[in-house]
């Protein structure tokens, strides 16, 4: 049994994060941040969708201050591009890794307990199993 096939409840935090990082990055395919992926698919932490409109505007206040009439959809698009840029600047594979360094819109991996990470991984694997069984 490979490490990624182990029971998520007995994995170390580092192994859980590595498995999530790999799975989420594969799903995002370099086309979007995992924040956007999570929001669009309702997976993992739910990305930007976990925030109310007001909370999202607060977290990205520097974007909103330049365009007070920006719609949520437009804000999410700009925020996604910004998250991707932070990944490049910080030379990390995901927006969670960038935010673990930056801690400006969220805390990245630091926002989650080991139990949270284990549950996320189980949910992703269950989702994968459902899609491959069809």
């Amino acid at each position: 049994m490979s490490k990624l096939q182990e029971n998520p409840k007995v994995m170390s935090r580092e192994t859980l994060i590595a498995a999530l990082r790999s799975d989420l990055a594969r799903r995002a395919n370099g086309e979007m941040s995992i924040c956007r992926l999570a929001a669009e698919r309702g997976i993992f932490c739910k990305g930007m969708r976990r925030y109310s409109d007001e909370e999202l505007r607060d977290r990205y206040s520097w974007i909103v201050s330049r365009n007070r009439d920006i719609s949520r959809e437009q804000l999410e698009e700009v925020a996604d591009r910004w998250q991707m840029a932070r990944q490049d600047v910080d030379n990390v594979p995901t927006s969670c890794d960038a935010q673990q360094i930056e801690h400006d819109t969220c805390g990245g991996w630091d926002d989650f307990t080991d139990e949270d990470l284990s549950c996320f991984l189980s949910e992703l694997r269950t989702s994968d199993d459902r899609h491959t069984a069809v």
Side-chain angles (χ1 to χ4, degrees):
M1 186 180 287
S2 78
K3 260 205 185 303
L4 292 181
Q5 292 174 328
E6 289 177 23
N7 181 346
K9 294 183 189 313
V10 297
M11 288 182 177
S12 70
R13 181 174 184 83
E14 294 75 24
T15 302
L16 284 166
I17 290 171
L20 284 163
R21 182 185 289 127
S22 174
D23 187 271
L24 292 165
R26 176 184 51 79
R27 290 172 190 237
N29 198 27
E31 300 292 319
M32 66 182 82
S33 69
I34 63 172
C35 297
R36 183 173 187 167
L37 172 79
E40 287 181 0
R41 297 194 185 169
I43 59 174
F44 187 47
C45 68
K46 311 296 186 270
M48 295 171 214
R49 295 289 169 163
R50 68 181 165 167
Y51 304 122
S52 69
D53 290 350
E54 184 178 329
E55 289 170 322
L56 186 68
R57 293 176 74 79
D58 286 345
R59 291 189 183 267
Y60 291 95
S61 60
W62 60 273
I63 296 171
V64 173
S65 69
R66 296 174 188 264
N67 180 358
R68 298 220 182 269
D69 296 325
I70 194 169
S71 69
R72 182 179 181 111
E73 182 179 313
Q74 292 168 323
L75 179 55
E76 286 183 12
E77 177 64 33
V78 174
D80 177 59
R81 290 194 311 261
W82 180 82
Q83 290 289 350
M84 295 291 290
R86 292 313 313 160
Q87 286 174 228
D88 286 343
V89 168
D90 292 332
N91 196 31
V92 293
T94 71
S95 47
C96 284
D97 294 298
Q99 287 308 309
Q100 191 168 12
I101 296 166
E102 308 280 339
H103 281 236
D104 59 357
T105 58
C106 74
W109 302 114
D110 292 338
D111 278 353
F112 311 111
T113 66
D114 293 356
E115 184 177 348
D116 292 334
L117 297 173
S118 180
C119 288
F120 290 145
L121 185 57
S122 291
E123 289 170 6
L124 289 173
R125 289 180 176 170
T126 301
S127 171
D128 282 347
D129 291 344
R130 279 193 306 256
H131 287 21
T132 57
V134 176

